[in-house]
Amino acid sequence: MNTELEQVLPAQIEKRSFEIITEELGKRKFIPGTETIIKRCIHTSADFDYAENLVFSDNVVEKALCAIQGGASIVTDTQMAKAGINKKKLAQFGGEVYCFMPDGDVAEAACEKKITRAAACMDKAAELHGNLIFAVGNAPTALARLYELIKEGKVAPKLIIGVPVGFVNVEPSKELILKLENIPFIVAKGRKGGSNIAACICNALLYML
Amino acid sequence: MNTELEQVLPAQIEKRSFEIITEELGKRKFIPGTETIIKRCIHTSADFDYAENLVFSDNVVEKALCAIQGGASIVTDTQMAKAGINKKKLAQFGGEVYCFMPDGDVAEAACEKKITRAAACMDKAAELHGNLIFAVGNAPTALARLYELIKEGKVAPKLIIGVPVGFVNVEPSKELILKLENIPFIVAKGRKGGSNIAACICNALLYML
């Protein structure tokens, strides 16, 4: 461990961080386009497990960048992820970020249907017009509900970022998304993920544009 | 790995998660009062490293709860942490959450002084009246500046949650806080932490009240 404060100019901190991450990853080979996403997740968490657990569907980065450039909006399941996503950058392409978690109608629907608020948020999102990217960083129930909505033909996401975190139903919910054909996805296999990781993957994509 | 979705009522998910975490932690002993904070950090990240890396100053939990009950406000270095902290619960005791990162005067001061915006936020926070808790989840420069402000007698936090994440100056900045006497702290040693962990520790404390 380095116990001395290094003299690094503010603008150089991120660059230096990515150099350290690159050094520590060594000679690992990445699927083209995925490298900066993996490195940004490690940068956000200091957790090198993200070099192993991220699963990318075929050509997902290219497809995701086209969706963003086409004005897709992002739906997320937490206010924290919404706070973390670079909304100014997304707005340059015409997209915005939605999180319906605090909405009264969502709370009411969740209560009536005996589902989580996160799942009820997905139902509300399915009624939006325009192209959508789903970034799920917290609730496996949101991901499982999203899978059902896709199967019912009610929504066709341009991208699913499936990175809920935790211990109950998290892994099975991610397995559902990994089974999808024709829907691009980025999924963190296993228990790990989080609203920080969801926001970070959105931003990694935005910063490629 | 469990690949079947378990039938768990929404209200039971968190309870079941904590049961799984408790099982996996086994017979580990914790300093009284710290256990729910450690478990909530694991719940937020699915990362059991938080069972090892959190350092608590003497009687910090008791002191933190008294500070919150006395109406202390929370200063944080990211909008994500601000979004994640339970502001309604904090407001019951009279506190609020401040994040100065988007402020124009902070950007200007950072530019003039050639410091990070996060460090300039700490300068602005030092001018607040009333008792303060600092929750630093992102920028080591914020933590290092906070240390200087304490040494200069310009601020006396009731609690420092020192959990910036990353690769440049993160560990040395945490070591500074660990050296403080008379200032209660909760620090995640090493590179790990994040705005999610900062918010999670604030909420773990709030939920004890």
Side-chain angles (χ1 to χ4, degrees), chain A residues 3-199:
Chain A
T3 57
E4 290 295 312
L5 281 160
E6 229 179 302
Q7 290 304 317
V8 187
L9 288 173
Q12 296 295 311
I13 293 173
E14 185 169 300
K15 185 169 172 282
R16 181 78 195 105
S17 298
F18 276 86
E19 285 168 4
I20 295 169
I21 293 166
T22 302
E23 274 165 38
E24 296 197 16
L25 283 170
K27 289 180 181 173
R28 173 184 289 273
K29 293 264 185 279
F30 298 97
I31 302 165
T34 66
E35 189 170 342
T36 58
I37 295 172
I38 291 166
K39 287 182 182 170
R40 189 164 285 277
C41 287
I42 295 169
H43 177 255
T44 285
S45 61
D47 187 343
F48 279 87
D49 279 7
Y50 289 101
E52 312 293 340
N53 67 16
L54 290 172
V55 184
F56 297 87
S57 65
D58 290 345
N59 303 311
V60 61
V61 175
E62 199 182 331
K63 289 175 186 173
L65 296 181
C66 291
I68 293 169
Q69 285 183 299
S73 284
I74 298 174
V75 175
T76 183
D77 65 330
T78 70
Q79 294 284 88
M80 279 187 80
K82 183 177 174 183
I85 295 168
N86 191 324
K87 290 166 286 293
K88 269 193 201 163
K89 184 90 184 170
L90 183 65
Q92 287 174 16
F93 306 101
E96 52 187 308
V97 181
Y98 298 101
C99 173
F100 300 127
M101 286 297 283
D103 297 6
D105 57 345
V106 162
E108 193 180 339
C111 180
E112 280 175 9
K113 297 181 194 169
K114 293 190 172 52
I115 58 176
T116 63
R117 276 194 297 149
C121 282
M122 296 296 111
D123 291 344
K124 183 164 177 175
E127 287 167 22
L128 291 170
H129 297 286
N131 289 334
L132 297 176
I133 290 168
F134 286 78
V136 175
N138 185 50
T141 52
L143 214 50
R145 183 67 191 130
L146 182 57
Y147 176 82
E148 289 171 354
L149 289 165
I150 291 165
K151 287 291 164 185
E152 292 164 7
K154 290 182 180 155
V155 69
K158 289 290 171 183
L159 168 67
I160 299 174
I161 298 169
V163 295
V165 59
F167 298 87
V168 176
N169 287 338
V170 165
E171 292 175 272
S173 76
K174 290 171 177 173
E175 293 295 324
L176 291 175
I177 302 306
L178 293 173
K179 283 196 289 185
L180 287 171
E181 290 164 16
N182 308 318
I183 305 278
F185 59 74
I186 300 171
V187 167
K189 276 189 82 133
R191 290 168 164 181
K192 287 186 178 175
S195 46
N196 54 338
I197 297 295

Side-chain angles (χ1 to χ4, degrees), chain A residues 1-8 10 13 16-17 20-21 24 42-48 79-81 83-84 114-116 141 144 165-169 171-173 175-176 191-196 199, chain B residues 1-8 10 13 16-17 20-21 24 42-48 79-81 83-84 114-116 141 144 165-169 171-173 175-176 191-196 199:
Chain A
M1 193 197 68
N2 188 357
T3 57
E4 290 295 312
L5 281 160
E6 229 179 302
Q7 290 304 317
V8 187
I13 293 173
R16 181 78 195 105
S17 298
I20 295 169
I21 293 166
E24 296 197 16
I42 295 169
H43 177 255
T44 285
S45 61
D47 187 343
F48 279 87
Q79 294 284 88
M80 279 187 80
K114 293 190 172 52
I115 58 176
T116 63
T141 52
V165 59
F167 298 87
V168 176
N169 287 338
E171 292 175 272
S173 76
E175 293 295 324
L176 291 175
R191 290 168 164 181
K192 287 186 178 175
S195 46
N196 54 338
Chain B
M1 193 198 67
N2 188 357
T3 57
E4 292 292 314
L5 282 160
E6 228 180 302
Q7 291 302 318
V8 186
I13 293 174
R16 181 78 193 103
S17 298
I20 294 169
I21 293 165
E24 296 197 16
I42 296 170
H43 177 255
T44 285
S45 62
D47 188 342
F48 280 85
Q79 294 285 90
M80 279 188 79
K114 293 190 172 53
I115 58 175
T116 64
T141 52
V165 59
F167 298 88
V168 176
N169 286 339
E171 291 175 273
S173 76
E175 294 295 323
L176 291 176
R191 291 168 162 181
K192 287 187 179 176
S195 47
N196 53 338

